[in-house]
Amino acid sequence: MSLTGAELQARAKRRFAQLQRGRRDPRYARVLGRLCALGLVVTNFEVERYTRAITIDDALWVGKLEPRVLELLPALVVKAPALFVDARALPPDLAQAVRALRRGEPPEDFRGIPGRDLVKWLPRVGRKDKLPSLTKAFRLRQEDLKLLARLSHQLGITETDVVRRGLRSLAASELLDD
C-alpha cells in the first residue's frame, strides 16, 4: 500500500503536532533537563536544567518522542542508578538489557534500539571510559585464602587488587609467551 503525497503530508503534520504536545509535557522537560544538565544530550532548543532524580517511567515515556533517551537509558541504569527514583523497579525488557550490559554481553534490541547502540554508551556514562566491573566467583583452598589475606594486608590493597596484580604479573611473565 503506497501513500499519496497528501496522505504522507497529513501523517507528518499529525506526528509533528504529537511531538509539539509532548515537548510541553513536564515529564519531557524533567528528563531532557536532567540529561542536558549531565551533558549526555544536546538539544537545538532551550531546556531548563533539572538536577533531581527522574523516574524510569518518565524516561520511557520521553523515549517514545526522543529515541536517543531509550538508547542511553540502559547504560544510565547500570552506571548511574542514582539518577533514578526507582532504578530497581524496571520493566522486563529494560531489566533484560541492563542484565546483559552488566554481564558484558551485547543486549538484544530494546524498544527498537539495536543492542550495539546500547553498548556504546557504557564508557560514556558515569566514570568516563570505565566499563562496569563483573563479578566472578572462585573456590579457593584455605591456604590460598590465607595467602590472599596476608598479601592484601602487607601491600595495603584490597584482595581484589591483589588478584588483579597477580593476573597482570602472570600475563607479563614468560609463562604466557608460548
Side-chain angles (χ1 to χ4, degrees), residues 6-38:
E7 291 169 334
L8 282 173
Q9 201 171 31
R11 183 182 284 183
K13 283 183 182 179
R14 283 192 306 272
R15 178 70 178 123
F16 183 71
Q18 180 185 20
L19 180 61
Q20 292 300 93
R21 280 191 307 274
R23 282 186 175 176
R24 290 190 296 267
D25 192 292
R27 295 174 287 185
Y28 187 87
R30 283 191 301 263
V31 171
L32 244 53
R34 185 67 176 129
L35 298 179
C36 287
L38 294 170

PDB file of all heavy atoms in Angstrom, residues 6-38:
ATOM      1  N   ALA A   6      -0.455  13.708  -0.321  1.00  0.00           N
ATOM      2  CA  ALA A   6      -1.324  14.378   0.648  1.00  0.00           C
ATOM      3  C   ALA A   6      -1.442  13.551   1.926  1.00  0.00           C
ATOM      4  O   ALA A   6      -1.455  14.101   3.040  1.00  0.00           O
ATOM      5  CB  ALA A   6      -2.706  14.616   0.046  1.00  0.00           C
ATOM      6  N   GLU A   7      -1.511  12.228   1.796  1.00  0.00           N
ATOM      7  CA  GLU A   7      -1.607  11.354   2.967  1.00  0.00           C
ATOM      8  C   GLU A   7      -0.311  11.399   3.785  1.00  0.00           C
ATOM      9  O   GLU A   7      -0.348  11.440   5.011  1.00  0.00           O
ATOM     10  CB  GLU A   7      -1.917   9.920   2.550  1.00  0.00           C
ATOM     11  CG  GLU A   7      -3.311   9.738   1.998  1.00  0.00           C
ATOM     12  CD  GLU A   7      -3.506   8.371   1.353  1.00  0.00           C
ATOM     13  OE1 GLU A   7      -2.510   7.778   0.898  1.00  0.00           O
ATOM     14  OE2 GLU A   7      -4.654   7.925   1.305  1.00  0.00           O
ATOM     15  N   LEU A   8       0.812  11.395   3.091  1.00  0.00           N
ATOM     16  CA  LEU A   8       2.100  11.495   3.778  1.00  0.00           C
ATOM     17  C   LEU A   8       2.231  12.829   4.512  1.00  0.00           C
ATOM     18  O   LEU A   8       2.706  12.889   5.641  1.00  0.00           O
ATOM     19  CB  LEU A   8       3.255  11.342   2.794  1.00  0.00           C
ATOM     20  CG  LEU A   8       3.579   9.928   2.338  1.00  0.00           C
ATOM     21  CD1 LEU A   8       4.635   9.950   1.243  1.00  0.00           C
ATOM     22  CD2 LEU A   8       4.070   9.107   3.505  1.00  0.00           C
ATOM     23  N   GLN A   9       1.780  13.879   3.853  1.00  0.00           N
ATOM     24  CA  GLN A   9       1.844  15.202   4.452  1.00  0.00           C
ATOM     25  C   GLN A   9       0.945  15.281   5.690  1.00  0.00           C
ATOM     26  O   GLN A   9       1.344  15.830   6.723  1.00  0.00           O
ATOM     27  CB  GLN A   9       1.429  16.248   3.421  1.00  0.00           C
ATOM     28  CG  GLN A   9       1.897  17.632   3.725  1.00  0.00           C
ATOM     29  CD  GLN A   9       1.646  18.558   2.555  1.00  0.00           C
ATOM     30  OE1 GLN A   9       0.692  18.378   1.796  1.00  0.00           O
ATOM     31  NE2 GLN A   9       2.498  19.550   2.403  1.00  0.00           N
ATOM     32  N   ALA A  10      -0.230  14.717   5.612  1.00  0.00           N
ATOM     33  CA  ALA A  10      -1.150  14.714   6.755  1.00  0.00           C
ATOM     34  C   ALA A  10      -0.564  13.905   7.912  1.00  0.00           C
ATOM     35  O   ALA A  10      -0.653  14.308   9.081  1.00  0.00           O
ATOM     36  CB  ALA A  10      -2.513  14.157   6.336  1.00  0.00           C
ATOM     37  N   ARG A  11       0.039  12.772   7.597  1.00  0.00           N
ATOM     38  CA  ARG A  11       0.663  11.934   8.630  1.00  0.00           C
ATOM     39  C   ARG A  11       1.809  12.681   9.310  1.00  0.00           C
ATOM     40  O   ARG A  11       1.964  12.644  10.528  1.00  0.00           O
ATOM     41  CB  ARG A  11       1.164  10.636   8.013  1.00  0.00           C
ATOM     42  CG  ARG A  11       1.755   9.682   9.032  1.00  0.00           C
ATOM     43  CD  ARG A  11       2.286   8.434   8.403  1.00  0.00           C
ATOM     44  NE  ARG A  11       1.180   7.553   8.054  1.00  0.00           N
ATOM     45  CZ  ARG A  11       1.333   6.352   7.536  1.00  0.00           C
ATOM     46  NH1 ARG A  11       2.548   5.900   7.265  1.00  0.00           N
ATOM     47  NH2 ARG A  11       0.291   5.605   7.248  1.00  0.00           N
ATOM     48  N   ALA A  12       2.628  13.372   8.524  1.00  0.00           N
ATOM     49  CA  ALA A  12       3.753  14.130   9.071  1.00  0.00           C
ATOM     50  C   ALA A  12       3.253  15.268   9.962  1.00  0.00           C
ATOM     51  O   ALA A  12       3.829  15.532  11.026  1.00  0.00           O
ATOM     52  CB  ALA A  12       4.622  14.678   7.956  1.00  0.00           C
ATOM     53  N   LYS A  13       2.175  15.920   9.564  1.00  0.00           N
ATOM     54  CA  LYS A  13       1.613  17.008  10.381  1.00  0.00           C
ATOM     55  C   LYS A  13       1.094  16.470  11.707  1.00  0.00           C
ATOM     56  O   LYS A  13       1.277  17.095  12.755  1.00  0.00           O
ATOM     57  CB  LYS A  13       0.491  17.718   9.633  1.00  0.00           C
ATOM     58  CG  LYS A  13       0.973  18.673   8.577  1.00  0.00           C
ATOM     59  CD  LYS A  13      -0.181  19.391   7.912  1.00  0.00           C
ATOM     60  CE  LYS A  13       0.320  20.313   6.827  1.00  0.00           C
ATOM     61  NZ  LYS A  13      -0.787  21.014   6.151  1.00  0.00           N
ATOM     62  N   ARG A  14       0.429  15.308  11.674  1.00  0.00           N
ATOM     63  CA  ARG A  14      -0.068  14.711  12.918  1.00  0.00           C
ATOM     64  C   ARG A  14       1.097  14.337  13.837  1.00  0.00           C
ATOM     65  O   ARG A  14       1.053  14.566  15.044  1.00  0.00           O
ATOM     66  CB  ARG A  14      -0.928  13.476  12.622  1.00  0.00           C
ATOM     67  CG  ARG A  14      -2.322  13.790  12.140  1.00  0.00           C
ATOM     68  CD  ARG A  14      -3.213  12.561  12.142  1.00  0.00           C
ATOM     69  NE  ARG A  14      -2.679  11.429  11.411  1.00  0.00           N
ATOM     70  CZ  ARG A  14      -2.853  11.194  10.100  1.00  0.00           C
ATOM     71  NH1 ARG A  14      -3.556  12.032   9.370  1.00  0.00           N
ATOM     72  NH2 ARG A  14      -2.329  10.131   9.536  1.00  0.00           N
ATOM     73  N   ARG A  15       2.129  13.772  13.282  1.00  0.00           N
ATOM     74  CA  ARG A  15       3.297  13.374  14.072  1.00  0.00           C
ATOM     75  C   ARG A  15       3.989  14.596  14.676  1.00  0.00           C
ATOM     76  O   ARG A  15       4.412  14.587  15.831  1.00  0.00           O
ATOM     77  CB  ARG A  15       4.270  12.578  13.189  1.00  0.00           C
ATOM     78  CG  ARG A  15       5.536  12.159  13.879  1.00  0.00           C
ATOM     79  CD  ARG A  15       5.266  11.079  14.914  1.00  0.00           C
ATOM     80  NE  ARG A  15       6.506  10.677  15.528  1.00  0.00           N
ATOM     81  CZ  ARG A  15       6.745  10.715  16.828  1.00  0.00           C
ATOM     82  NH1 ARG A  15       5.813  11.062  17.673  1.00  0.00           N
ATOM     83  NH2 ARG A  15       7.910  10.373  17.313  1.00  0.00           N
ATOM     84  N   PHE A  16       4.103  15.664  13.900  1.00  0.00           N
ATOM     85  CA  PHE A  16       4.725  16.889  14.386  1.00  0.00           C
ATOM     86  C   PHE A  16       3.885  17.503  15.507  1.00  0.00           C
ATOM     87  O   PHE A  16       4.425  17.964  16.526  1.00  0.00           O
ATOM     88  CB  PHE A  16       4.917  17.892  13.248  1.00  0.00           C
ATOM     89  CG  PHE A  16       5.614  19.147  13.673  1.00  0.00           C
ATOM     90  CD1 PHE A  16       6.963  19.128  13.994  1.00  0.00           C
ATOM     91  CD2 PHE A  16       4.929  20.347  13.774  1.00  0.00           C
ATOM     92  CE1 PHE A  16       7.616  20.278  14.403  1.00  0.00           C
ATOM     93  CE2 PHE A  16       5.576  21.499  14.178  1.00  0.00           C
ATOM     94  CZ  PHE A  16       6.921  21.470  14.488  1.00  0.00           C
ATOM     95  N   ALA A  17       2.573  17.496  15.365  1.00  0.00           N
ATOM     96  CA  ALA A  17       1.687  18.024  16.408  1.00  0.00           C
ATOM     97  C   ALA A  17       1.826  17.202  17.685  1.00  0.00           C
ATOM     98  O   ALA A  17       1.840  17.751  18.798  1.00  0.00           O
ATOM     99  CB  ALA A  17       0.239  18.032  15.927  1.00  0.00           C
ATOM    100  N   GLN A  18       1.935  15.879  17.540  1.00  0.00           N
ATOM    101  CA  GLN A  18       2.126  14.996  18.692  1.00  0.00           C
ATOM    102  C   GLN A  18       3.454  15.324  19.397  1.00  0.00           C
ATOM    103  O   GLN A  18       3.516  15.391  20.616  1.00  0.00           O
ATOM    104  CB  GLN A  18       2.100  13.544  18.228  1.00  0.00           C
ATOM    105  CG  GLN A  18       2.299  12.541  19.327  1.00  0.00           C
ATOM    106  CD  GLN A  18       2.380  11.112  18.780  1.00  0.00           C
ATOM    107  OE1 GLN A  18       2.650  10.889  17.602  1.00  0.00           O
ATOM    108  NE2 GLN A  18       2.154  10.148  19.644  1.00  0.00           N
ATOM    109  N   LEU A  19       4.489  15.538  18.620  1.00  0.00           N
ATOM    110  CA  LEU A  19       5.798  15.884  19.178  1.00  0.00           C
ATOM    111  C   LEU A  19       5.735  17.222  19.907  1.00  0.00           C
ATOM    112  O   LEU A  19       6.276  17.367  21.007  1.00  0.00           O
ATOM    113  CB  LEU A  19       6.857  15.925  18.070  1.00  0.00           C
ATOM    114  CG  LEU A  19       8.277  16.271  18.476  1.00  0.00           C
ATOM    115  CD1 LEU A  19       8.826  15.260  19.467  1.00  0.00           C
ATOM    116  CD2 LEU A  19       9.175  16.344  17.260  1.00  0.00           C
ATOM    117  N   GLN A  20       5.052  18.197  19.330  1.00  0.00           N
ATOM    118  CA  GLN A  20       4.932  19.509  19.961  1.00  0.00           C
ATOM    119  C   GLN A  20       4.170  19.416  21.282  1.00  0.00           C
ATOM    120  O   GLN A  20       4.550  20.043  22.265  1.00  0.00           O
ATOM    121  CB  GLN A  20       4.234  20.503  19.022  1.00  0.00           C
ATOM    122  CG  GLN A  20       5.055  20.855  17.793  1.00  0.00           C
ATOM    123  CD  GLN A  20       6.380  21.478  18.162  1.00  0.00           C
ATOM    124  OE1 GLN A  20       7.391  20.800  18.279  1.00  0.00           O
ATOM    125  NE2 GLN A  20       6.398  22.770  18.358  1.00  0.00           N
ATOM    126  N   ARG A  21       3.102  18.622  21.325  1.00  0.00           N
ATOM    127  CA  ARG A  21       2.354  18.427  22.577  1.00  0.00           C
ATOM    128  C   ARG A  21       3.248  17.756  23.622  1.00  0.00           C
ATOM    129  O   ARG A  21       3.247  18.125  24.788  1.00  0.00           O
ATOM    130  CB  ARG A  21       1.105  17.580  22.337  1.00  0.00           C
ATOM    131  CG  ARG A  21      -0.063  18.331  21.766  1.00  0.00           C
ATOM    132  CD  ARG A  21      -1.336  17.500  21.806  1.00  0.00           C
ATOM    133  NE  ARG A  21      -1.217  16.185  21.198  1.00  0.00           N
ATOM    134  CZ  ARG A  21      -1.373  15.913  19.905  1.00  0.00           C
ATOM    135  NH1 ARG A  21      -1.661  16.877  19.057  1.00  0.00           N
ATOM    136  NH2 ARG A  21      -1.246  14.680  19.451  1.00  0.00           N
ATOM    137  N   GLY A  22       4.014  16.760  23.187  1.00  0.00           N
ATOM    138  CA  GLY A  22       4.900  16.045  24.099  1.00  0.00           C
ATOM    139  C   GLY A  22       5.970  16.936  24.688  1.00  0.00           C
ATOM    140  O   GLY A  22       6.336  16.797  25.854  1.00  0.00           O
ATOM    141  N   ARG A  23       6.470  17.874  23.917  1.00  0.00           N
ATOM    142  CA  ARG A  23       7.518  18.771  24.404  1.00  0.00           C
ATOM    143  C   ARG A  23       7.012  19.709  25.495  1.00  0.00           C
ATOM    144  O   ARG A  23       7.793  20.225  26.270  1.00  0.00           O
ATOM    145  CB  ARG A  23       8.100  19.593  23.252  1.00  0.00           C
ATOM    146  CG  ARG A  23       9.061  18.820  22.407  1.00  0.00           C
ATOM    147  CD  ARG A  23       9.703  19.715  21.384  1.00  0.00           C
ATOM    148  NE  ARG A  23      10.717  18.992  20.650  1.00  0.00           N
ATOM    149  CZ  ARG A  23      11.392  19.495  19.635  1.00  0.00           C
ATOM    150  NH1 ARG A  23      11.148  20.730  19.238  1.00  0.00           N
ATOM    151  NH2 ARG A  23      12.291  18.786  19.019  1.00  0.00           N
ATOM    152  N   ARG A  24       5.717  19.924  25.548  1.00  0.00           N
ATOM    153  CA  ARG A  24       5.141  20.781  26.592  1.00  0.00           C
ATOM    154  C   ARG A  24       4.864  20.003  27.877  1.00  0.00           C
ATOM    155  O   ARG A  24       4.556  20.599  28.903  1.00  0.00           O
ATOM    156  CB  ARG A  24       3.851  21.430  26.076  1.00  0.00           C
ATOM    157  CG  ARG A  24       4.093  22.473  25.010  1.00  0.00           C
ATOM    158  CD  ARG A  24       2.833  23.251  24.700  1.00  0.00           C
ATOM    159  NE  ARG A  24       1.774  22.422  24.135  1.00  0.00           N
ATOM    160  CZ  ARG A  24       1.549  22.231  22.836  1.00  0.00           C
ATOM    161  NH1 ARG A  24       2.333  22.816  21.958  1.00  0.00           N
ATOM    162  NH2 ARG A  24       0.564  21.469  22.422  1.00  0.00           N
ATOM    163  N   ASP A  25       4.985  18.701  27.834  1.00  0.00           N
ATOM    164  CA  ASP A  25       4.705  17.860  28.996  1.00  0.00           C
ATOM    165  C   ASP A  25       5.825  18.019  30.026  1.00  0.00           C
ATOM    166  O   ASP A  25       7.002  18.049  29.666  1.00  0.00           O
ATOM    167  CB  ASP A  25       4.607  16.395  28.542  1.00  0.00           C
ATOM    168  CG  ASP A  25       4.046  15.492  29.607  1.00  0.00           C
ATOM    169  OD1 ASP A  25       4.736  15.301  30.631  1.00  0.00           O
ATOM    170  OD2 ASP A  25       2.941  14.975  29.415  1.00  0.00           O
ATOM    171  N   PRO A  26       5.478  18.114  31.317  1.00  0.00           N
ATOM    172  CA  PRO A  26       6.528  18.263  32.343  1.00  0.00           C
ATOM    173  C   PRO A  26       7.496  17.081  32.401  1.00  0.00           C
ATOM    174  O   PRO A  26       8.659  17.247  32.769  1.00  0.00           O
ATOM    175  CB  PRO A  26       5.759  18.399  33.653  1.00  0.00           C
ATOM    176  CG  PRO A  26       4.325  18.296  33.338  1.00  0.00           C
ATOM    177  CD  PRO A  26       4.146  18.171  31.867  1.00  0.00           C
ATOM    178  N   ARG A  27       7.044  15.883  32.041  1.00  0.00           N
ATOM    179  CA  ARG A  27       7.941  14.722  32.039  1.00  0.00           C
ATOM    180  C   ARG A  27       9.065  14.931  31.042  1.00  0.00           C
ATOM    181  O   ARG A  27      10.229  14.615  31.317  1.00  0.00           O
ATOM    182  CB  ARG A  27       7.167  13.443  31.686  1.00  0.00           C
ATOM    183  CG  ARG A  27       6.121  13.071  32.715  1.00  0.00           C
ATOM    184  CD  ARG A  27       5.296  11.909  32.266  1.00  0.00           C
ATOM    185  NE  ARG A  27       4.394  12.340  31.200  1.00  0.00           N
ATOM    186  CZ  ARG A  27       3.463  11.576  30.646  1.00  0.00           C
ATOM    187  NH1 ARG A  27       3.317  10.319  31.036  1.00  0.00           N
ATOM    188  NH2 ARG A  27       2.687  12.042  29.695  1.00  0.00           N
ATOM    189  N   TYR A  28       8.726  15.448  29.879  1.00  0.00           N
ATOM    190  CA  TYR A  28       9.710  15.722  28.835  1.00  0.00           C
ATOM    191  C   TYR A  28      10.748  16.730  29.345  1.00  0.00           C
ATOM    192  O   TYR A  28      11.948  16.530  29.192  1.00  0.00           O
ATOM    193  CB  TYR A  28       8.998  16.260  27.593  1.00  0.00           C
ATOM    194  CG  TYR A  28       9.869  16.433  26.381  1.00  0.00           C
ATOM    195  CD1 TYR A  28      10.075  15.384  25.502  1.00  0.00           C
ATOM    196  CD2 TYR A  28      10.479  17.651  26.107  1.00  0.00           C
ATOM    197  CE1 TYR A  28      10.864  15.541  24.377  1.00  0.00           C
ATOM    198  CE2 TYR A  28      11.266  17.811  24.988  1.00  0.00           C
ATOM    199  CZ  TYR A  28      11.455  16.758  24.125  1.00  0.00           C
ATOM    200  OH  TYR A  28      12.239  16.912  23.012  1.00  0.00           O
ATOM    201  N   ALA A  29      10.257  17.784  29.980  1.00  0.00           N
ATOM    202  CA  ALA A  29      11.154  18.828  30.491  1.00  0.00           C
ATOM    203  C   ALA A  29      12.078  18.278  31.574  1.00  0.00           C
ATOM    204  O   ALA A  29      13.279  18.594  31.591  1.00  0.00           O
ATOM    205  CB  ALA A  29      10.334  19.993  31.035  1.00  0.00           C
ATOM    206  N   ARG A  30      11.538  17.448  32.465  1.00  0.00           N
ATOM    207  CA  ARG A  30      12.368  16.897  33.548  1.00  0.00           C
ATOM    208  C   ARG A  30      13.455  15.980  33.001  1.00  0.00           C
ATOM    209  O   ARG A  30      14.627  16.106  33.356  1.00  0.00           O
ATOM    210  CB  ARG A  30      11.504  16.124  34.547  1.00  0.00           C
ATOM    211  CG  ARG A  30      10.712  16.985  35.487  1.00  0.00           C
ATOM    212  CD  ARG A  30      10.109  16.170  36.608  1.00  0.00           C
ATOM    213  NE  ARG A  30       9.223  15.115  36.143  1.00  0.00           N
ATOM    214  CZ  ARG A  30       7.901  15.201  36.070  1.00  0.00           C
ATOM    215  NH1 ARG A  30       7.292  16.312  36.425  1.00  0.00           N
ATOM    216  NH2 ARG A  30       7.187  14.178  35.648  1.00  0.00           N
ATOM    217  N   VAL A  31      13.074  15.030  32.147  1.00  0.00           N
ATOM    218  CA  VAL A  31      14.039  14.036  31.656  1.00  0.00           C
ATOM    219  C   VAL A  31      15.102  14.697  30.784  1.00  0.00           C
ATOM    220  O   VAL A  31      16.303  14.503  30.996  1.00  0.00           O
ATOM    221  CB  VAL A  31      13.322  12.894  30.902  1.00  0.00           C
ATOM    222  CG1 VAL A  31      14.324  11.990  30.214  1.00  0.00           C
ATOM    223  CG2 VAL A  31      12.452  12.096  31.859  1.00  0.00           C
ATOM    224  N   LEU A  32      14.679  15.484  29.801  1.00  0.00           N
ATOM    225  CA  LEU A  32      15.668  16.130  28.945  1.00  0.00           C
ATOM    226  C   LEU A  32      16.489  17.151  29.726  1.00  0.00           C
ATOM    227  O   LEU A  32      17.700  17.284  29.489  1.00  0.00           O
ATOM    228  CB  LEU A  32      14.999  16.784  27.734  1.00  0.00           C
ATOM    229  CG  LEU A  32      15.410  16.172  26.414  1.00  0.00           C
ATOM    230  CD1 LEU A  32      15.220  14.686  26.388  1.00  0.00           C
ATOM    231  CD2 LEU A  32      14.811  16.848  25.262  1.00  0.00           C
ATOM    232  N   GLY A  33      15.861  17.837  30.684  1.00  0.00           N
ATOM    233  CA  GLY A  33      16.598  18.782  31.522  1.00  0.00           C
ATOM    234  C   GLY A  33      17.677  18.091  32.333  1.00  0.00           C
ATOM    235  O   GLY A  33      18.788  18.604  32.488  1.00  0.00           O
ATOM    236  N   ARG A  34      17.382  16.893  32.832  1.00  0.00           N
ATOM    237  CA  ARG A  34      18.369  16.130  33.620  1.00  0.00           C
ATOM    238  C   ARG A  34      19.508  15.638  32.734  1.00  0.00           C
ATOM    239  O   ARG A  34      20.681  15.741  33.093  1.00  0.00           O
ATOM    240  CB  ARG A  34      17.686  14.944  34.308  1.00  0.00           C
ATOM    241  CG  ARG A  34      18.589  14.177  35.232  1.00  0.00           C
ATOM    242  CD  ARG A  34      18.980  15.036  36.421  1.00  0.00           C
ATOM    243  NE  ARG A  34      19.771  14.263  37.363  1.00  0.00           N
ATOM    244  CZ  ARG A  34      20.931  14.681  37.838  1.00  0.00           C
ATOM    245  NH1 ARG A  34      21.419  15.851  37.516  1.00  0.00           N
ATOM    246  NH2 ARG A  34      21.595  13.929  38.680  1.00  0.00           N
ATOM    247  N   LEU A  35      19.167  15.093  31.568  1.00  0.00           N
ATOM    248  CA  LEU A  35      20.199  14.573  30.664  1.00  0.00           C
ATOM    249  C   LEU A  35      21.057  15.693  30.078  1.00  0.00           C
ATOM    250  O   LEU A  35      22.262  15.521  29.885  1.00  0.00           O
ATOM    251  CB  LEU A  35      19.560  13.727  29.568  1.00  0.00           C
ATOM    252  CG  LEU A  35      18.819  12.478  30.059  1.00  0.00           C
ATOM    253  CD1 LEU A  35      18.193  11.732  28.890  1.00  0.00           C
ATOM    254  CD2 LEU A  35      19.735  11.562  30.848  1.00  0.00           C
ATOM    255  N   CYS A  36      20.448  16.846  29.819  1.00  0.00           N
ATOM    256  CA  CYS A  36      21.225  18.003  29.336  1.00  0.00           C
ATOM    257  C   CYS A  36      22.141  18.530  30.441  1.00  0.00           C
ATOM    258  O   CYS A  36      23.272  18.921  30.171  1.00  0.00           O
ATOM    259  CB  CYS A  36      20.296  19.104  28.850  1.00  0.00           C
ATOM    260  SG  CYS A  36      19.492  18.755  27.280  1.00  0.00           S
ATOM    261  N   ALA A  37      21.642  18.540  31.686  1.00  0.00           N
ATOM    262  CA  ALA A  37      22.462  19.010  32.808  1.00  0.00           C
ATOM    263  C   ALA A  37      23.702  18.140  32.978  1.00  0.00           C
ATOM    264  O   ALA A  37      24.757  18.627  33.385  1.00  0.00           O
ATOM    265  CB  ALA A  37      21.635  19.011  34.094  1.00  0.00           C
ATOM    266  N   LEU A  38      23.586  16.859  32.651  1.00  0.00           N
ATOM    267  CA  LEU A  38      24.722  15.943  32.752  1.00  0.00           C
ATOM    268  C   LEU A  38      25.628  15.996  31.520  1.00  0.00           C
ATOM    269  O   LEU A  38      26.678  15.371  31.492  1.00  0.00           O
ATOM    270  CB  LEU A  38      24.228  14.509  32.942  1.00  0.00           C
ATOM    271  CG  LEU A  38      23.508  14.241  34.254  1.00  0.00           C
ATOM    272  CD1 LEU A  38      22.847  12.867  34.217  1.00  0.00           C
ATOM    273  CD2 LEU A  38      24.477  14.340  35.412  1.00  0.00           C
TER     274      LEU A  38
END
